[in-house]
Amino acid sequence: MVKVELKWKKFDQAIEDIRHHYQSKSIKMIIGISRGGLVPAVSLSHKLSIPMDSLVWQTRDGDTGRDIQKLEQLSNKYRSKEILFVDDICDSGKTIREIQNWFPDASFATLIDKIPEEGLVEYAPLRFGDEWIIFPWE
């Protein structure tokens, strides 16, 4: 498998693209999906001046973590369309599909969307095929 190293400069540009896309939307909370979505979510939170929280939702490496309690808390505090979920990559779409069951009108942004034809990610500035992506914080 071909490995591609994503540099900080490309990351910064991708975050700026996401910021531009969401700056005029009515997002009140950014949720970084642990682990990969935390770095982009923090950066985007600073750029948009919108609060950020994290969500543990592990669908890889044994499906070991899904923070249902956090989703319940979010659903009691925010309307679905006020939340922007952020992750590093959409590979299979499993994470997004599962979270969409709780928040069908929420927005989803990733740095990379490997399956754009499925329409799961509202905005992703980068596209790759089958390459293995090495993120700058790894």
Side-chain angles (χ1 to χ4, degrees):
M1 177 175 289
V2 175
K3 293 183 179 182
V4 175
E5 189 174 340
L6 186 70
K7 301 288 186 185
W8 280 112
K9 185 175 182 177
K10 190 85 162 176
F11 167 82
D12 291 338
Q13 183 58 55
I15 292 298
E16 185 60 27
D17 292 348
I18 295 170
R19 181 204 61 80
H20 186 284
H21 182 83
Y22 287 100
Q23 69 184 0
S24 62
K25 308 237 182 206
S26 60
I27 301 298
K28 293 186 178 176
M29 176 58 77
I30 294 172
I31 304 296
I33 302 171
S34 177
R35 289 182 331 195
L38 298 180
V39 173
V42 167
S43 182
L44 194 58
S45 170
H46 286 294
K47 289 190 176 286
L48 288 171
S49 297
I50 296 173
M52 178 256 168
D53 202 345
S54 63
L55 173 68
V56 174
W57 202 268
Q58 185 71 29
T59 59
R60 188 181 73 165
D61 301 332
D63 293 344
T64 57
R66 287 183 174 84
D67 193 350
I68 302 294
Q69 184 177 11
K70 174 68 74 77
L71 286 181
E72 290 171 345
Q73 291 169 353
L74 288 169
S75 67
N76 289 332
K77 190 169 183 179
Y78 299 99
R79 295 187 327 227
S80 185
K81 64 184 176 182
E82 296 175 326
I83 298 175
L84 171 60
F85 288 93
V86 177
D87 209 350
D88 56 349
I89 190 167
C90 177
D91 269 323
S92 69
K94 185 175 181 180
T95 298
I96 293 174
R97 281 187 198 92
E98 289 180 0
I99 295 171
Q100 280 178 332
N101 288 329
W102 287 83
F103 295 96
D105 298 323
S107 296
F108 289 84
T110 59
L111 297 173
I112 300 165
D113 184 3
K114 287 194 170 185
I115 52 172
E117 65 279 0
E118 293 198 24
L120 295 171
V121 177
E122 181 181 62
Y123 190 77
L126 303 174
R127 300 276 192 267
F128 288 93
D130 292 334
E131 300 91 348
W132 183 266
I133 310 302
I134 301 169
F135 291 96
W137 55 86
E138 295 182 309

PDB file of all heavy atoms in Angstrom, residues 48-80:
ATOM      1  N   LEU A  48     -12.905  29.374  14.241  1.00  0.00           N
ATOM      2  CA  LEU A  48     -14.302  29.806  14.157  1.00  0.00           C
ATOM      3  C   LEU A  48     -14.818  30.419  15.458  1.00  0.00           C
ATOM      4  O   LEU A  48     -15.949  30.897  15.506  1.00  0.00           O
ATOM      5  CB  LEU A  48     -15.194  28.620  13.770  1.00  0.00           C
ATOM      6  CG  LEU A  48     -15.074  28.133  12.330  1.00  0.00           C
ATOM      7  CD1 LEU A  48     -15.832  26.819  12.146  1.00  0.00           C
ATOM      8  CD2 LEU A  48     -15.579  29.185  11.356  1.00  0.00           C
ATOM      9  N   SER A  49     -14.034  30.333  16.517  1.00  0.00           N
ATOM     10  CA  SER A  49     -14.456  30.794  17.854  1.00  0.00           C
ATOM     11  C   SER A  49     -15.759  30.129  18.284  1.00  0.00           C
ATOM     12  O   SER A  49     -16.685  30.772  18.774  1.00  0.00           O
ATOM     13  CB  SER A  49     -14.604  32.327  17.880  1.00  0.00           C
ATOM     14  OG  SER A  49     -13.372  32.939  17.629  1.00  0.00           O
ATOM     15  N   ILE A  50     -15.803  28.830  18.078  1.00  0.00           N
ATOM     16  CA  ILE A  50     -16.943  28.002  18.469  1.00  0.00           C
ATOM     17  C   ILE A  50     -16.431  26.969  19.463  1.00  0.00           C
ATOM     18  O   ILE A  50     -15.371  26.380  19.251  1.00  0.00           O
ATOM     19  CB  ILE A  50     -17.567  27.298  17.242  1.00  0.00           C
ATOM     20  CG1 ILE A  50     -18.154  28.331  16.275  1.00  0.00           C
ATOM     21  CG2 ILE A  50     -18.650  26.301  17.669  1.00  0.00           C
ATOM     22  CD1 ILE A  50     -18.644  27.735  14.964  1.00  0.00           C
ATOM     23  N   PRO A  51     -17.164  26.727  20.561  1.00  0.00           N
ATOM     24  CA  PRO A  51     -16.710  25.726  21.532  1.00  0.00           C
ATOM     25  C   PRO A  51     -16.562  24.341  20.893  1.00  0.00           C
ATOM     26  O   PRO A  51     -17.245  24.022  19.916  1.00  0.00           O
ATOM     27  CB  PRO A  51     -17.815  25.694  22.591  1.00  0.00           C
ATOM     28  CG  PRO A  51     -18.709  26.832  22.311  1.00  0.00           C
ATOM     29  CD  PRO A  51     -18.445  27.321  20.935  1.00  0.00           C
ATOM     30  N   MET A  52     -15.684  23.567  21.482  1.00  0.00           N
ATOM     31  CA  MET A  52     -15.406  22.227  20.977  1.00  0.00           C
ATOM     32  C   MET A  52     -15.442  21.224  22.123  1.00  0.00           C
ATOM     33  O   MET A  52     -15.065  21.536  23.244  1.00  0.00           O
ATOM     34  CB  MET A  52     -14.019  22.241  20.316  1.00  0.00           C
ATOM     35  CG  MET A  52     -13.543  20.919  19.780  1.00  0.00           C
ATOM     36  SD  MET A  52     -12.309  20.259  20.895  1.00  0.00           S
ATOM     37  CE  MET A  52     -12.163  18.602  20.314  1.00  0.00           C
ATOM     38  N   ASP A  53     -15.929  20.049  21.821  1.00  0.00           N
ATOM     39  CA  ASP A  53     -15.917  18.933  22.769  1.00  0.00           C
ATOM     40  C   ASP A  53     -15.469  17.713  21.991  1.00  0.00           C
ATOM     41  O   ASP A  53     -15.368  17.741  20.758  1.00  0.00           O
ATOM     42  CB  ASP A  53     -17.307  18.737  23.374  1.00  0.00           C
ATOM     43  CG  ASP A  53     -17.277  18.005  24.711  1.00  0.00           C
ATOM     44  OD1 ASP A  53     -16.238  17.399  25.052  1.00  0.00           O
ATOM     45  OD2 ASP A  53     -18.302  18.021  25.407  1.00  0.00           O
ATOM     46  N   SER A  54     -15.212  16.637  22.690  1.00  0.00           N
ATOM     47  CA  SER A  54     -14.774  15.415  22.024  1.00  0.00           C
ATOM     48  C   SER A  54     -15.790  14.302  22.233  1.00  0.00           C
ATOM     49  O   SER A  54     -16.572  14.324  23.181  1.00  0.00           O
ATOM     50  CB  SER A  54     -13.407  14.979  22.551  1.00  0.00           C
ATOM     51  OG  SER A  54     -13.492  14.672  23.919  1.00  0.00           O
ATOM     52  N   LEU A  55     -15.749  13.351  21.335  1.00  0.00           N
ATOM     53  CA  LEU A  55     -16.618  12.183  21.409  1.00  0.00           C
ATOM     54  C   LEU A  55     -15.788  10.949  21.109  1.00  0.00           C
ATOM     55  O   LEU A  55     -15.126  10.883  20.074  1.00  0.00           O
ATOM     56  CB  LEU A  55     -17.754  12.297  20.385  1.00  0.00           C
ATOM     57  CG  LEU A  55     -18.658  11.062  20.238  1.00  0.00           C
ATOM     58  CD1 LEU A  55     -19.487  10.870  21.504  1.00  0.00           C
ATOM     59  CD2 LEU A  55     -19.543  11.198  19.023  1.00  0.00           C
ATOM     60  N   VAL A  56     -15.803  10.004  22.024  1.00  0.00           N
ATOM     61  CA  VAL A  56     -15.157   8.717  21.769  1.00  0.00           C
ATOM     62  C   VAL A  56     -16.143   7.858  20.992  1.00  0.00           C
ATOM     63  O   VAL A  56     -17.243   7.562  21.473  1.00  0.00           O
ATOM     64  CB  VAL A  56     -14.749   8.019  23.087  1.00  0.00           C
ATOM     65  CG1 VAL A  56     -14.217   6.619  22.805  1.00  0.00           C
ATOM     66  CG2 VAL A  56     -13.742   8.851  23.845  1.00  0.00           C
ATOM     67  N   TRP A  57     -15.759   7.517  19.767  1.00  0.00           N
ATOM     68  CA  TRP A  57     -16.613   6.669  18.932  1.00  0.00           C
ATOM     69  C   TRP A  57     -15.703   5.810  18.076  1.00  0.00           C
ATOM     70  O   TRP A  57     -15.382   6.132  16.950  1.00  0.00           O
ATOM     71  CB  TRP A  57     -17.535   7.516  18.051  1.00  0.00           C
ATOM     72  CG  TRP A  57     -18.727   6.744  17.619  1.00  0.00           C
ATOM     73  CD1 TRP A  57     -18.879   6.012  16.472  1.00  0.00           C
ATOM     74  CD2 TRP A  57     -19.944   6.588  18.337  1.00  0.00           C
ATOM     75  NE1 TRP A  57     -20.102   5.429  16.436  1.00  0.00           N
ATOM     76  CE2 TRP A  57     -20.783   5.764  17.570  1.00  0.00           C
ATOM     77  CE3 TRP A  57     -20.399   7.065  19.563  1.00  0.00           C
ATOM     78  CZ2 TRP A  57     -22.060   5.420  17.993  1.00  0.00           C
ATOM     79  CZ3 TRP A  57     -21.657   6.723  19.971  1.00  0.00           C
ATOM     80  CH2 TRP A  57     -22.474   5.901  19.183  1.00  0.00           C
ATOM     81  N   GLN A  58     -15.268   4.723  18.633  1.00  0.00           N
ATOM     82  CA  GLN A  58     -14.294   3.846  17.998  1.00  0.00           C
ATOM     83  C   GLN A  58     -15.005   2.763  17.205  1.00  0.00           C
ATOM     84  O   GLN A  58     -15.706   1.934  17.781  1.00  0.00           O
ATOM     85  CB  GLN A  58     -13.405   3.216  19.076  1.00  0.00           C
ATOM     86  CG  GLN A  58     -12.280   2.387  18.539  1.00  0.00           C
ATOM     87  CD  GLN A  58     -11.204   3.221  17.894  1.00  0.00           C
ATOM     88  OE1 GLN A  58     -10.981   4.366  18.257  1.00  0.00           O
ATOM     89  NE2 GLN A  58     -10.526   2.663  16.933  1.00  0.00           N
ATOM     90  N   THR A  59     -14.846   2.775  15.889  1.00  0.00           N
ATOM     91  CA  THR A  59     -15.427   1.721  15.053  1.00  0.00           C
ATOM     92  C   THR A  59     -14.333   0.882  14.407  1.00  0.00           C
ATOM     93  O   THR A  59     -14.620   0.014  13.596  1.00  0.00           O
ATOM     94  CB  THR A  59     -16.334   2.307  13.956  1.00  0.00           C
ATOM     95  OG1 THR A  59     -15.569   3.189  13.137  1.00  0.00           O
ATOM     96  CG2 THR A  59     -17.509   3.043  14.559  1.00  0.00           C
ATOM     97  N   ARG A  60     -13.118   1.142  14.764  1.00  0.00           N
ATOM     98  CA  ARG A  60     -11.975   0.411  14.244  1.00  0.00           C
ATOM     99  C   ARG A  60     -11.253  -0.237  15.416  1.00  0.00           C
ATOM    100  O   ARG A  60     -11.455   0.143  16.557  1.00  0.00           O
ATOM    101  CB  ARG A  60     -11.046   1.406  13.531  1.00  0.00           C
ATOM    102  CG  ARG A  60      -9.912   0.791  12.781  1.00  0.00           C
ATOM    103  CD  ARG A  60      -9.080   1.869  12.165  1.00  0.00           C
ATOM    104  NE  ARG A  60      -8.320   2.517  13.225  1.00  0.00           N
ATOM    105  CZ  ARG A  60      -7.294   3.306  13.036  1.00  0.00           C
ATOM    106  NH1 ARG A  60      -6.925   3.608  11.838  1.00  0.00           N
ATOM    107  NH2 ARG A  60      -6.652   3.842  14.051  1.00  0.00           N
ATOM    108  N   ASP A  61     -10.446  -1.194  15.144  1.00  0.00           N
ATOM    109  CA  ASP A  61      -9.637  -1.843  16.192  1.00  0.00           C
ATOM    110  C   ASP A  61     -10.497  -2.486  17.280  1.00  0.00           C
ATOM    111  O   ASP A  61     -10.249  -2.332  18.462  1.00  0.00           O
ATOM    112  CB  ASP A  61      -8.663  -0.848  16.841  1.00  0.00           C
ATOM    113  CG  ASP A  61      -7.705  -0.234  15.838  1.00  0.00           C
ATOM    114  OD1 ASP A  61      -7.421  -0.911  14.826  1.00  0.00           O
ATOM    115  OD2 ASP A  61      -7.266   0.896  16.053  1.00  0.00           O
ATOM    116  N   GLY A  62     -11.561  -3.151  16.893  1.00  0.00           N
ATOM    117  CA  GLY A  62     -12.336  -3.915  17.853  1.00  0.00           C
ATOM    118  C   GLY A  62     -13.606  -3.256  18.354  1.00  0.00           C
ATOM    119  O   GLY A  62     -14.238  -3.774  19.263  1.00  0.00           O
ATOM    120  N   ASP A  63     -14.009  -2.168  17.780  1.00  0.00           N
ATOM    121  CA  ASP A  63     -15.263  -1.517  18.180  1.00  0.00           C
ATOM    122  C   ASP A  63     -15.366  -1.359  19.695  1.00  0.00           C
ATOM    123  O   ASP A  63     -16.380  -1.666  20.309  1.00  0.00           O
ATOM    124  CB  ASP A  63     -16.471  -2.308  17.676  1.00  0.00           C
ATOM    125  CG  ASP A  63     -16.589  -2.282  16.169  1.00  0.00           C
ATOM    126  OD1 ASP A  63     -15.945  -1.422  15.542  1.00  0.00           O
ATOM    127  OD2 ASP A  63     -17.331  -3.098  15.626  1.00  0.00           O
ATOM    128  N   THR A  64     -14.328  -0.838  20.316  1.00  0.00           N
ATOM    129  CA  THR A  64     -14.275  -0.838  21.778  1.00  0.00           C
ATOM    130  C   THR A  64     -14.919   0.354  22.456  1.00  0.00           C
ATOM    131  O   THR A  64     -15.150   0.316  23.651  1.00  0.00           O
ATOM    132  CB  THR A  64     -12.805  -0.911  22.250  1.00  0.00           C
ATOM    133  OG1 THR A  64     -12.095   0.191  21.674  1.00  0.00           O
ATOM    134  CG2 THR A  64     -12.164  -2.210  21.839  1.00  0.00           C
ATOM    135  N   GLY A  65     -15.210   1.405  21.751  1.00  0.00           N
ATOM    136  CA  GLY A  65     -15.717   2.569  22.461  1.00  0.00           C
ATOM    137  C   GLY A  65     -16.767   3.354  21.709  1.00  0.00           C
ATOM    138  O   GLY A  65     -16.554   3.762  20.583  1.00  0.00           O
ATOM    139  N   ARG A  66     -17.899   3.522  22.356  1.00  0.00           N
ATOM    140  CA  ARG A  66     -18.958   4.371  21.827  1.00  0.00           C
ATOM    141  C   ARG A  66     -19.590   5.081  23.015  1.00  0.00           C
ATOM    142  O   ARG A  66     -20.222   4.440  23.850  1.00  0.00           O
ATOM    143  CB  ARG A  66     -19.986   3.548  21.073  1.00  0.00           C
ATOM    144  CG  ARG A  66     -19.469   3.045  19.733  1.00  0.00           C
ATOM    145  CD  ARG A  66     -20.563   2.291  19.017  1.00  0.00           C
ATOM    146  NE  ARG A  66     -20.173   1.903  17.688  1.00  0.00           N
ATOM    147  CZ  ARG A  66     -19.466   0.814  17.385  1.00  0.00           C
ATOM    148  NH1 ARG A  66     -19.086   0.003  18.343  1.00  0.00           N
ATOM    149  NH2 ARG A  66     -19.169   0.537  16.146  1.00  0.00           N
ATOM    150  N   ASP A  67     -19.420   6.380  23.069  1.00  0.00           N
ATOM    151  CA  ASP A  67     -19.889   7.162  24.201  1.00  0.00           C
ATOM    152  C   ASP A  67     -21.339   7.594  23.990  1.00  0.00           C
ATOM    153  O   ASP A  67     -21.624   8.729  23.632  1.00  0.00           O
ATOM    154  CB  ASP A  67     -18.978   8.376  24.408  1.00  0.00           C
ATOM    155  CG  ASP A  67     -19.210   9.069  25.743  1.00  0.00           C
ATOM    156  OD1 ASP A  67     -20.192   8.731  26.437  1.00  0.00           O
ATOM    157  OD2 ASP A  67     -18.412   9.952  26.090  1.00  0.00           O
ATOM    158  N   ILE A  68     -22.250   6.668  24.232  1.00  0.00           N
ATOM    159  CA  ILE A  68     -23.686   6.919  24.066  1.00  0.00           C
ATOM    160  C   ILE A  68     -24.140   8.027  25.025  1.00  0.00           C
ATOM    161  O   ILE A  68     -24.952   8.877  24.665  1.00  0.00           O
ATOM    162  CB  ILE A  68     -24.506   5.629  24.317  1.00  0.00           C
ATOM    163  CG1 ILE A  68     -24.073   4.516  23.361  1.00  0.00           C
ATOM    164  CG2 ILE A  68     -25.989   5.904  24.223  1.00  0.00           C
ATOM    165  CD1 ILE A  68     -24.361   4.754  21.918  1.00  0.00           C
ATOM    166  N   GLN A  69     -23.606   8.027  26.240  1.00  0.00           N
ATOM    167  CA  GLN A  69     -23.993   9.039  27.226  1.00  0.00           C
ATOM    168  C   GLN A  69     -23.684  10.449  26.713  1.00  0.00           C
ATOM    169  O   GLN A  69     -24.471  11.366  26.883  1.00  0.00           O
ATOM    170  CB  GLN A  69     -23.289   8.782  28.556  1.00  0.00           C
ATOM    171  CG  GLN A  69     -23.724   9.744  29.647  1.00  0.00           C
ATOM    172  CD  GLN A  69     -23.058   9.425  30.981  1.00  0.00           C
ATOM    173  OE1 GLN A  69     -22.134   8.632  31.071  1.00  0.00           O
ATOM    174  NE2 GLN A  69     -23.540  10.062  32.022  1.00  0.00           N
ATOM    175  N   LYS A  70     -22.534  10.626  26.064  1.00  0.00           N
ATOM    176  CA  LYS A  70     -22.171  11.942  25.520  1.00  0.00           C
ATOM    177  C   LYS A  70     -23.158  12.351  24.426  1.00  0.00           C
ATOM    178  O   LYS A  70     -23.587  13.501  24.357  1.00  0.00           O
ATOM    179  CB  LYS A  70     -20.746  11.911  24.969  1.00  0.00           C
ATOM    180  CG  LYS A  70     -20.302  13.173  24.251  1.00  0.00           C
ATOM    181  CD  LYS A  70     -20.148  14.390  25.153  1.00  0.00           C
ATOM    182  CE  LYS A  70     -18.963  14.371  26.020  1.00  0.00           C
ATOM    183  NZ  LYS A  70     -17.666  14.651  25.535  1.00  0.00           N
ATOM    184  N   LEU A  71     -23.552  11.406  23.579  1.00  0.00           N
ATOM    185  CA  LEU A  71     -24.523  11.728  22.530  1.00  0.00           C
ATOM    186  C   LEU A  71     -25.863  12.141  23.130  1.00  0.00           C
ATOM    187  O   LEU A  71     -26.519  13.062  22.639  1.00  0.00           O
ATOM    188  CB  LEU A  71     -24.710  10.545  21.583  1.00  0.00           C
ATOM    189  CG  LEU A  71     -23.572  10.279  20.609  1.00  0.00           C
ATOM    190  CD1 LEU A  71     -23.912   9.100  19.712  1.00  0.00           C
ATOM    191  CD2 LEU A  71     -23.235  11.495  19.768  1.00  0.00           C
ATOM    192  N   GLU A  72     -26.257  11.477  24.185  1.00  0.00           N
ATOM    193  CA  GLU A  72     -27.506  11.850  24.859  1.00  0.00           C
ATOM    194  C   GLU A  72     -27.409  13.263  25.439  1.00  0.00           C
ATOM    195  O   GLU A  72     -28.352  14.044  25.327  1.00  0.00           O
ATOM    196  CB  GLU A  72     -27.841  10.836  25.956  1.00  0.00           C
ATOM    197  CG  GLU A  72     -28.257   9.489  25.407  1.00  0.00           C
ATOM    198  CD  GLU A  72     -28.380   8.413  26.477  1.00  0.00           C
ATOM    199  OE1 GLU A  72     -27.888   8.604  27.615  1.00  0.00           O
ATOM    200  OE2 GLU A  72     -28.961   7.357  26.163  1.00  0.00           O
ATOM    201  N   GLN A  73     -26.278  13.584  26.044  1.00  0.00           N
ATOM    202  CA  GLN A  73     -26.083  14.932  26.585  1.00  0.00           C
ATOM    203  C   GLN A  73     -26.129  15.982  25.477  1.00  0.00           C
ATOM    204  O   GLN A  73     -26.766  17.032  25.624  1.00  0.00           O
ATOM    205  CB  GLN A  73     -24.742  15.026  27.325  1.00  0.00           C
ATOM    206  CG  GLN A  73     -24.690  14.232  28.597  1.00  0.00           C
ATOM    207  CD  GLN A  73     -23.273  14.128  29.152  1.00  0.00           C
ATOM    208  OE1 GLN A  73     -22.289  14.536  28.528  1.00  0.00           O
ATOM    209  NE2 GLN A  73     -23.157  13.560  30.353  1.00  0.00           N
ATOM    210  N   LEU A  74     -25.482  15.693  24.372  1.00  0.00           N
ATOM    211  CA  LEU A  74     -25.490  16.629  23.245  1.00  0.00           C
ATOM    212  C   LEU A  74     -26.893  16.823  22.685  1.00  0.00           C
ATOM    213  O   LEU A  74     -27.294  17.939  22.359  1.00  0.00           O
ATOM    214  CB  LEU A  74     -24.556  16.139  22.140  1.00  0.00           C
ATOM    215  CG  LEU A  74     -23.069  16.240  22.415  1.00  0.00           C
ATOM    216  CD1 LEU A  74     -22.273  15.483  21.355  1.00  0.00           C
ATOM    217  CD2 LEU A  74     -22.623  17.694  22.479  1.00  0.00           C
ATOM    218  N   SER A  75     -27.633  15.727  22.586  1.00  0.00           N
ATOM    219  CA  SER A  75     -28.987  15.828  22.025  1.00  0.00           C
ATOM    220  C   SER A  75     -29.930  16.597  22.941  1.00  0.00           C
ATOM    221  O   SER A  75     -30.901  17.195  22.478  1.00  0.00           O
ATOM    222  CB  SER A  75     -29.559  14.440  21.706  1.00  0.00           C
ATOM    223  OG  SER A  75     -29.787  13.711  22.882  1.00  0.00           O
ATOM    224  N   ASN A  76     -29.641  16.620  24.244  1.00  0.00           N
ATOM    225  CA  ASN A  76     -30.446  17.408  25.179  1.00  0.00           C
ATOM    226  C   ASN A  76     -30.098  18.893  25.134  1.00  0.00           C
ATOM    227  O   ASN A  76     -30.917  19.725  25.512  1.00  0.00           O
ATOM    228  CB  ASN A  76     -30.262  16.894  26.611  1.00  0.00           C
ATOM    229  CG  ASN A  76     -30.915  15.546  26.825  1.00  0.00           C
ATOM    230  OD1 ASN A  76     -31.890  15.209  26.164  1.00  0.00           O
ATOM    231  ND2 ASN A  76     -30.359  14.761  27.724  1.00  0.00           N
ATOM    232  N   LYS A  77     -28.895  19.214  24.678  1.00  0.00           N
ATOM    233  CA  LYS A  77     -28.429  20.593  24.715  1.00  0.00           C
ATOM    234  C   LYS A  77     -28.506  21.309  23.355  1.00  0.00           C
ATOM    235  O   LYS A  77     -28.717  22.509  23.296  1.00  0.00           O
ATOM    236  CB  LYS A  77     -26.989  20.625  25.226  1.00  0.00           C
ATOM    237  CG  LYS A  77     -26.491  22.001  25.533  1.00  0.00           C
ATOM    238  CD  LYS A  77     -25.172  21.954  26.272  1.00  0.00           C
ATOM    239  CE  LYS A  77     -24.731  23.357  26.644  1.00  0.00           C
ATOM    240  NZ  LYS A  77     -23.491  23.377  27.375  1.00  0.00           N
ATOM    241  N   TYR A  78     -28.318  20.581  22.261  1.00  0.00           N
ATOM    242  CA  TYR A  78     -28.248  21.192  20.936  1.00  0.00           C
ATOM    243  C   TYR A  78     -29.216  20.516  19.966  1.00  0.00           C
ATOM    244  O   TYR A  78     -29.472  19.322  20.065  1.00  0.00           O
ATOM    245  CB  TYR A  78     -26.832  21.057  20.352  1.00  0.00           C
ATOM    246  CG  TYR A  78     -25.784  21.738  21.172  1.00  0.00           C
ATOM    247  CD1 TYR A  78     -24.992  21.020  22.058  1.00  0.00           C
ATOM    248  CD2 TYR A  78     -25.585  23.105  21.076  1.00  0.00           C
ATOM    249  CE1 TYR A  78     -24.025  21.644  22.827  1.00  0.00           C
ATOM    250  CE2 TYR A  78     -24.621  23.744  21.837  1.00  0.00           C
ATOM    251  CZ  TYR A  78     -23.853  23.004  22.706  1.00  0.00           C
ATOM    252  OH  TYR A  78     -22.900  23.631  23.475  1.00  0.00           O
ATOM    253  N   ARG A  79     -29.686  21.316  19.045  1.00  0.00           N
ATOM    254  CA  ARG A  79     -30.427  20.735  17.924  1.00  0.00           C
ATOM    255  C   ARG A  79     -29.406  20.119  16.976  1.00  0.00           C
ATOM    256  O   ARG A  79     -28.270  20.576  16.867  1.00  0.00           O
ATOM    257  CB  ARG A  79     -31.245  21.807  17.212  1.00  0.00           C
ATOM    258  CG  ARG A  79     -32.342  22.386  18.092  1.00  0.00           C
ATOM    259  CD  ARG A  79     -33.248  23.319  17.326  1.00  0.00           C
ATOM    260  NE  ARG A  79     -32.529  24.035  16.270  1.00  0.00           N
ATOM    261  CZ  ARG A  79     -32.604  25.327  16.047  1.00  0.00           C
ATOM    262  NH1 ARG A  79     -33.377  26.074  16.790  1.00  0.00           N
ATOM    263  NH2 ARG A  79     -31.937  25.896  15.079  1.00  0.00           N
ATOM    264  N   SER A  80     -29.814  19.100  16.271  1.00  0.00           N
ATOM    265  CA  SER A  80     -28.930  18.355  15.386  1.00  0.00           C
ATOM    266  C   SER A  80     -28.183  19.261  14.411  1.00  0.00           C
ATOM    267  O   SER A  80     -26.986  19.121  14.196  1.00  0.00           O
ATOM    268  CB  SER A  80     -29.754  17.319  14.631  1.00  0.00           C
ATOM    269  OG  SER A  80     -28.960  16.492  13.849  1.00  0.00           O
TER     270      SER A  80
END
